[in-house]
Amino acid sequence: AQTVTQSQPEMSVQEAETVTLSCTYDTSESDYYLFWYKQPPSRQMILVIRQEAYKQQNATENRFSVNFQKAAKSFSLKISDSQLGDAAMYFCAYIFGGSQGNLIFGKGTKLSVKP
Amino acid sequence: DAGVTQSPTHLIKTRGQHVTLRCSPISGHKSVSWYQQVLGQGPQFIFQYYEKEERGRGNFPDRFSARQFPNYSSELNVNALLLGDSALYLCASRRLAAQETQYFGPGTRLLVL
């Protein structure tokens, strides 16, 4: 069964510093996609970044980047120059190409940003 | 372009009642998925619909049902509500293929008393 594990229930970072959120997943599929979503207190789930498993290059999106280690089934999110607006729940999610189309989510990491 | 919209934003029901939640996808998106997010957990997949047909179903009882309309909007229905159905219900849309990014609506917060 495919599973996604986020081992850090809570993390804290100082404004302008860098923080890394961890995610591991378990799958036997070769064609899959990984995502990080952000959910602020407003509840709206917002896409942060996406990684295709067939791509060796790590995805980046402005201050957000991932460290995708396919062999280790690890997919961590690095947030650089943290801002107060980055405070939210962060969910790692997985989907494989032949699936019914449902994302499998981890339990989330609550990120606090200290001024 | 407008994002995914959901209605209502909040809802309070009592046990045994029925509820209908609504979702309008992003223009041009043909697939809609529903997720249940219990407090403190990640979202759990309920249904996926494409072209008015159910394409996938998660591990939820038959009290949960859904449908998709010709304009690709969707309804989620829950019968015989239980206290445990209290959750945030999220709708997500994507253009078509399973690997395409899903974009989420703001959710409907359901409280069952």
Side-chain angles (χ1 to χ4, degrees):
Chain A
Q2 291 103 9
T3 57
V4 176
T5 303
Q6 294 180 249
S7 59
Q8 307 153 317
E10 296 189 26
M11 291 284 284
S12 180
V13 64
Q14 205 73 31
E15 195 176 6
E17 296 295 307
T18 296
V19 64
T20 298
L21 308 183
S22 301
C23 172
T24 58
Y25 58 95
D26 188 20
T27 183
S28 57
E29 301 290 335
S30 58
D31 175 26
Y32 59 89
Y33 305 80
L34 297 162
F35 304 84
W36 279 97
Y37 282 91
K38 167 186 176 182
Q39 188 177 41
S42 66
R43 306 177 330 205
Q44 182 98 38
M45 193 78 76
I46 302 165
L47 176 70
V48 175
I49 202 163
R50 163 195 170 105
Q51 174 79 44
E52 292 83 357
Y54 63 83
K55 290 186 178 179
Q56 293 186 339
Q57 187 174 7
N58 289 325
T60 62
E61 195 71 42
N62 300 316
R63 298 182 296 108
F64 299 88
S65 62
V66 299
N67 183 4
F68 175 47
Q69 300 291 326
K70 191 171 183 178
K73 295 182 181 176
S74 171
F75 182 60
S76 60
L77 174 70
K78 185 172 81 172
I79 306 174
S80 304
D81 186 26
S82 297
Q83 301 176 0
L84 295 177
D86 294 333
M89 285 292 292
Y90 285 80
F91 291 96
C92 178
Y94 156 96
I95 194 169
F96 71 94
S99 75
Q100 298 167 343
N102 54 293
L103 287 163
I104 299 170
F105 285 87
K107 291 188 175 181
T109 296
K110 183 178 181 180
L111 178 65
S112 302
V113 181
K114 298 178 181 179
Chain B
D1 288 338
V4 178
T5 60
Q6 292 185 245
S7 63
T9 56
H10 295 83
L11 205 51
I12 300 175
K13 293 286 189 178
T14 56
R15 283 178 296 176
Q17 284 189 312
H18 162 272
V19 68
T20 297
L21 310 181
R22 295 177 176 82
C23 171
S24 291
I26 292 171
S27 177
H29 286 195
K30 298 184 177 181
S31 174
V32 170
S33 295
W34 287 95
Y35 294 82
Q36 180 196 64
Q37 186 179 18
V38 174
L39 193 63
Q41 300 292 320
Q44 296 287 317
F45 171 70
I46 310 175
F47 286 112
Q48 190 234 338
Y49 273 78
Y50 168 66
E51 291 290 358
K52 297 178 290 182
E53 289 190 11
E54 181 184 305
R55 304 288 179 162
R57 184 185 183 112
N59 188 24
F60 280 81
D62 292 342
R63 299 184 297 106
F64 288 77
S65 64
R67 55 179 177 169
Q68 187 178 34
F69 300 99
N71 66 353
Y72 302 109
S73 66
S74 178
E75 284 183 353
L76 175 69
N77 296 284
V78 187
N79 293 323
L81 284 167
L82 302 174
L83 297 180
D85 295 331
S86 296
L88 179 66
Y89 289 86
L90 295 166
C91 173
S93 77
R94 64 175 180 266
R95 284 183 299 173
L96 175 58
Q99 64 267 29
E100 294 190 15
T101 298
Q102 295 186 33
Y103 295 91
F104 286 81
T108 293
R109 174 74 68 190
L110 172 64
L111 177 61
V112 182
L113 301 176

